[in-house]
Amino acid sequence: MATNLQAQHETQSGVYTFSSRPRAVPNRPKYRADPLLNEESSYGNIMYDRRVVRGNTYAQHILPITSQPDPVEFLRQQEVRRRAMSRKRMKEQFNPKTPEPLEGRKNIDLQTEMYLEELSDRVEDVSVECQTDMFLDKPATPLFIPAKTGRDVATQIEEGELFDFDMEVRPVLQVLVGKTIEQALLEVLEEEELANLRAQQQTFKEIRDAELVEVQRLEERERRLRVEKENRIKQQKAVLEKEKETADKIAARAFAQQYLSDLLPSVYSNLRDCGYFYDPVQRDIETEFLPWLMDEVSNTLEQRYVARMVLDMLIQDVTNQRSEAFQVIPGNQKDDGKY
């Protein structure tokens, strides 16, 4: 029979279809067994369950799984916002701007186009009317009903065939509650451990601060002792150097007095013989008066020499002029051209 049905489907539509052998429906109980009495899994029809939401679910507002925003999406939005602000600041900074007017002046708008254009805030408007022909109203568009394809198939689900929500959700709730309690216990233990660590850190910090204070006190005491020691050594060295310098000065003074007792007279005599001790009047006459006198005498003689030269030149010029004038007279010349 199944072979005949399959052959019929192939000949009618030309497409392979599957059909199974009919079978009898098994006997089922009319009522669902009590889940408290029967621990075995039972099923029910969710189409009749009151806890199942029916109707259109596309427009429903679906809450997110967690109220916390996605950190990656949040960082991306911040980066996009930062780049937009940066581009805006760069645009405002590099765009050419009109400088601010001086005091007592203000900026006005000017027409810089090649052709004069009238600028006005009022937009000219014109009213135009037209009359259209009378038309009939469009009839109502009929509802679109798509053509029905295929065959209707129905399935009957009796009560108890699908799962029982109360029975199936119990292990899930047990796991969720167990995990929640376990996580809560872990968090409590972690908080207690962190509190113990903070207490140990505070104790260690107090001990370390006390040790640092003691170390600083010892370092300061050692520094004061070292500075005091260095100051004492410097003072002792200064006293010794001063005593040595005083002894050297005393010895040098005694040696100088002993050496210069016979040196000064001989030095003075040698200087006097060499001419270092001179008469100031004689030295002044030799260095100041005599050179000035010689310069004046030489200047006077030079002036007299120049005056004589000028006089000789004048006399020669006069003599030459008179001789030339005497030769020009006619009576003074001879026939042979000789004087």
Side-chain angles (χ1 to χ4, degrees):
M1 183 177 182
T3 305
N4 296 333
L5 290 174
Q6 181 177 357
Q8 292 176 2
H9 285 299
E10 290 178 355
T11 56
Q12 292 177 1
S13 60
V15 179
Y16 176 79
T17 57
F18 176 77
S19 59
S20 61
R21 185 184 298 275
R23 58 182 179 178
V25 177
N27 295 328
R28 301 187 182 88
K30 187 176 182 182
Y31 300 99
R32 185 174 60 184
D34 190 1
L36 299 177
L37 299 177
N38 187 13
E39 295 297 335
E40 295 181 358
S41 299
S42 57
Y43 301 90
N45 189 357
I46 61 175
M47 298 300 295
Y48 298 97
D49 196 344
R50 299 176 183 177
R51 294 166 292 184
V52 177
V53 179
R54 298 175 180 82
N56 186 9
T57 58
Y58 293 101
Q60 290 183 357
H61 179 67
I62 301 176
L63 295 176
I65 300 175
T66 173
S67 61
Q68 296 294 334
D70 190 5
V72 178
E73 184 67 20
F74 182 71
L75 292 176
R76 189 182 65 80
Q77 293 178 358
Q78 280 190 345
E79 183 68 18
V80 172
R81 192 180 301 108
R82 185 181 64 79
R83 291 180 179 176
M85 293 296 294
S86 176
R87 287 195 297 268
K88 184 178 179 181
R89 286 196 300 269
M90 293 293 290
K91 185 177 180 181
E92 293 177 356
Q93 181 178 1
F94 290 102
N95 281 347
K97 297 182 180 179
T98 304
E100 296 294 334
L102 299 177
E103 185 177 0
R105 298 184 180 182
K106 62 180 181 179
N107 293 333
I108 61 175
D109 297 333
L110 296 177
Q111 179 69 24
T112 58
E113 298 293 335
M114 183 179 298
Y115 301 100
L116 181 62
E117 179 182 357
E118 182 181 1
L119 301 178
S120 175
D121 295 339
R122 180 177 176 274
V123 180
E124 297 182 1
D125 54 350
V126 178
S127 299
V128 178
E129 298 179 357
C130 63
Q131 180 65 36
T132 59
D133 298 334
M134 298 296 294
F135 291 98
L136 297 177
D137 295 336
K138 181 181 178 181
T141 303
L143 295 176
F144 175 74
I145 301 177
K148 184 176 180 181
T149 59
R151 293 182 302 172
D152 297 335
V153 178
T155 303
Q156 180 64 29
I157 301 176
E158 301 292 341
E159 295 184 0
E161 291 183 353
L162 301 179
F163 69 95
D164 185 4
F165 184 81
D166 294 335
M167 290 295 296
E168 297 294 337
V169 82
R170 185 177 300 174
V172 178
L173 289 177
Q174 289 179 356
V175 172
L176 292 176
V177 172
K179 288 292 184 180
T180 304
I181 295 175
E182 183 180 359
Q183 186 67 24
L185 291 176
L186 291 175
E187 291 179 358
V188 170
L189 293 176
E190 184 178 357
E191 291 178 357
E192 291 180 354
E193 186 176 358
L194 291 175
N196 294 332
L197 291 175
R198 292 193 188 95
Q200 291 180 3
Q201 289 179 356
Q202 185 66 24
T203 305
F204 175 75
K205 184 177 180 182
E206 293 177 356
I207 295 173
R208 186 184 62 180
D209 294 341
E211 290 178 353
L212 289 176
V213 171
E214 183 66 20
V215 169
Q216 291 178 359
R217 187 183 66 80
L218 294 176
E219 289 179 353
E220 185 65 22
R221 179 172 175 272
E222 183 66 24
R223 188 187 65 81
R224 289 199 303 270
L225 292 176
R226 184 174 63 256
V227 172
E228 184 67 22
K229 182 179 178 181
E230 292 177 356
N231 293 334
R232 295 291 180 86
I233 292 172
K234 290 180 180 179
Q235 291 177 0
Q236 189 66 24
K237 288 182 178 180
V239 170
L240 294 175
E241 290 179 357
K242 191 171 183 181
E243 290 179 355
K244 183 179 180 182
E245 184 179 358
T246 304
D248 294 340
K249 287 182 179 180
I250 293 172
R253 185 172 181 275
F255 177 75
Q257 288 179 356
Q258 183 180 0
Y259 181 75
L260 295 176
S261 60
D262 299 332
L263 182 62
L264 289 177
S266 61
V267 171
Y268 287 149
S269 62
N270 292 331
L271 292 176
R272 189 178 296 110
D273 295 337
C274 293
Y276 288 97
F277 297 104
Y278 52 86
D279 188 2
V281 178
Q282 182 180 359
R283 184 64 177 272
D284 191 10
I285 292 172
E286 293 177 355
T287 58
E288 300 293 337
F289 179 71
L290 290 179
W292 173 80
L293 183 60
M294 294 299 293
D295 292 338
E296 292 295 331
V297 170
S298 62
N299 292 333
T300 303
L301 294 176
E302 186 176 358
Q303 291 176 1
R304 288 182 179 180
Y305 176 74
V306 171
R308 289 177 180 178
M309 290 291 294
V310 171
L311 182 60
D312 293 340
M313 292 175 64
L314 290 175
I315 293 170
Q316 186 177 2
D317 291 339
V318 171
T319 305
N320 294 332
Q321 290 177 2
R322 286 184 179 183
S323 63
E324 291 177 358
F326 181 76
Q327 291 177 2
V328 171
I329 297 173
N332 294 332
Q333 296 181 357
K334 295 181 179 181
D335 296 338
D336 55 357
K338 297 181 180 179
Y339 295 102

